[in-house]
Amino acid sequence: MQKQQFRNSWLLLLTATIWGTAFVAQSIGMDYVEPFTFNFIRSIIGGIVLIPCIFILNKSDKKQPQKQNTPSSRKTLIIGGIACGICLGLASNFQQVGIKYTTVGKAGFITACYIVIVPILAFLFFRKKCAPAIWLSVLLAVIGLYLLCITESFSIGLGDSLIFICAILFSLHILVIDYFSPLADGVKMSCIQFFISGFVSAIPAFLFEHPNLNNILSAWGPILYAGVLSCGVAYTLQIIGQRNMNPTVASLILSLESCISVLAGWAILGQTLTVKELFGCVLMFIAIILAQLPGKQK
């Protein structure tokens, strides 16, 4: 179990790394297409990418065909994929639209509040208790995210409210994955969630926006990166990595996305980090390491 949790922690860290660097692609892509259209295309691409992976895995896994093909397991897979897809689609769209009405720093901080919301929801609805060290990790992570993201006076506006709803939806997404990931095939469930998320994004895209093929083709690079890596690879790694992991610990590791996005901006776009931001990164890493200690001591 320790080896599995260690491996899953690295998978979640890789997920956070991909998501953090994907902010560059998302920023560039939004110059060409509108938010719902961007999420619609990237989600569909993410689902399509996983289809050949499913066929390859099915051919290589011939030892347990009955376990994965029972009516009960198929029903659980479909329900889990739909539930994850709805949460993901709603969260992504609230975030994308909210960014239009607030600053990136405030959006990053409010979104990452899921590291506080997850343990609260997990305790209220599933009675999952956390060790004191994990709650201390949550506190350190919140302070680190504040130092990292907030550069101006904090106020609540329309965009801030939309981003906070996004944080709640991402928290639900993490908890839904925590429930279904031990019960269903991670790659198949991820594939289903992307097509559902794409459908959720397609409705407002065609109702309120004007998807243009030329604009979509102009943003092919950012869309492919966001669709293949950020969706197809990263969200699948999240589902696999969260298996048998404490959802609060998982949310803490995934919140490193904020640190990595800042570091990616420094390395790729030449943006500099202040002393305050560097200290925020250090606190985040301390929080992640502290969250891992209770499991190792046991």
Side-chain angles (χ1 to χ4, degrees), residues 2 5 290-298:
Q2 275 190 349
Q5 290 188 345
L290 186 60
Q292 299 298 306
L293 292 180
K296 293 181 179 180
Q297 288 172 353
K298 289 180 183 179

Side-chain angles (χ1 to χ4, degrees), residues 74-176:
R74 287 196 295 268
K75 181 180 178 181
T76 301
L77 172 66
I78 293 172
I79 293 174
I82 292 174
C84 289
I86 292 173
C87 290
L88 176 62
L90 292 175
S92 299
N93 288 318
F94 268 100
Q95 182 187 55
Q96 206 71 35
V97 176
I99 289 175
K100 295 173 61 177
Y101 302 102
T102 188
T103 63
V104 173
K106 287 163 72 173
F109 174 74
I110 299 171
T111 299
C113 283
Y114 64 73
I115 66 175
V116 178
I117 299 172
V118 165
I120 294 173
L121 294 181
F123 177 74
L124 290 176
F125 294 105
F126 303 105
R127 295 301 173 187
K128 289 197 172 188
K129 297 182 179 180
C130 296
I134 293 182
W135 286 108
L136 178 59
S137 299
V138 170
L139 177 61
L140 288 175
V142 170
I143 297 172
L145 284 166
Y146 183 88
L147 294 174
L148 184 62
C149 299
I150 300 301
T151 57
E152 66 283 321
S153 59
F154 193 91
S155 60
I156 301 296
L158 173 61
D160 304 325
S161 302
L162 293 174
I163 297 294
F164 184 72
I165 295 173
C166 149
I168 296 175
L169 291 169
F170 271 130
S171 301
L172 292 175
H173 183 245
I174 290 173
L175 293 175
V176 169

Side-chain angles (χ1 to χ4, degrees), residues 234-260:
Y235 278 106
T236 303
L237 290 177
Q238 179 195 8
I239 289 177
I240 297 173
Q242 268 196 240
R243 185 170 296 169
N244 299 321
M245 284 282 289
N246 184 311
T248 301
V249 177
S251 67
L252 281 166
I253 298 174
L254 293 174
S255 69
L256 275 175
E257 167 193 0
S258 298
C259 291
I260 294 167

Side-chain angles (χ1 to χ4, degrees), residues 1-237:
M1 183 61 72
Q2 275 190 349
K3 289 183 178 179
Q4 183 183 11
Q5 290 188 345
F6 182 75
R7 185 205 68 173
N8 289 357
S9 296
W10 279 104
L11 290 178
L12 293 175
L13 179 59
L14 179 58
T15 300
T17 302
I18 295 173
W19 284 346
T21 53
F23 273 113
V24 177
Q26 287 181 258
S27 177
I28 298 173
M30 289 292 290
D31 293 336
Y32 299 94
V33 294
E34 295 173 286
F36 293 122
T37 301
F38 185 86
N39 283 335
F40 162 53
I41 300 297
R42 70 181 289 200
S43 295
I44 296 301
I45 290 175
I48 293 173
V49 165
L50 292 182
I51 293 177
C53 297
I54 292 173
F55 281 108
I56 294 171
L57 291 173
N58 282 342
K59 287 184 178 181
S60 62
D61 187 17
K62 297 180 180 179
K63 296 182 180 180
Q64 300 176 337
Q66 297 179 350
K67 185 178 179 181
Q68 296 181 355
N69 291 321
T70 62
S72 177
S73 64
R74 287 196 295 268
K75 181 180 178 181
T76 301
L77 172 66
I78 293 172
I79 293 174
I82 292 174
C84 289
I86 292 173
C87 290
L88 176 62
L90 292 175
S92 299
N93 288 318
F94 268 100
Q95 182 187 55
Q96 206 71 35
V97 176
I99 289 175
K100 295 173 61 177
Y101 302 102
T102 188
T103 63
V104 173
K106 287 163 72 173
F109 174 74
I110 299 171
T111 299
C113 283
Y114 64 73
I115 66 175
V116 178
I117 299 172
V118 165
I120 294 173
L121 294 181
F123 177 74
L124 290 176
F125 294 105
F126 303 105
R127 295 301 173 187
K128 289 197 172 188
K129 297 182 179 180
C130 296
I134 293 182
W135 286 108
L136 178 59
S137 299
V138 170
L139 177 61
L140 288 175
V142 170
I143 297 172
L145 284 166
Y146 183 88
L147 294 174
L148 184 62
C149 299
I150 300 301
T151 57
E152 66 283 321
S153 59
F154 193 91
S155 60
I156 301 296
L158 173 61
D160 304 325
S161 302
L162 293 174
I163 297 294
F164 184 72
I165 295 173
C166 149
I168 296 175
L169 291 169
F170 271 130
S171 301
L172 292 175
H173 183 245
I174 290 173
L175 293 175
V176 169
I177 289 176
D178 178 64
Y179 178 80
F180 283 103
S181 60
L183 307 175
D185 183 280
V187 179
K188 291 180 181 178
M189 189 166 74
S190 185
C191 183
I192 294 172
Q193 83 162 347
F194 287 130
F195 284 116
I196 297 298
S197 176
F199 177 76
V200 170
S201 302
I203 296 174
F206 286 100
L207 285 177
F208 306 114
E209 299 176 351
H210 305 282
N212 183 286
L213 182 60
N214 290 330
N215 291 339
I216 293 173
L217 292 176
S218 299
W220 68 269
I223 289 177
L224 280 180
Y225 186 91
V228 175
L229 287 179
S230 182
C231 284
V233 176
Y235 278 106
T236 303
L237 290 177

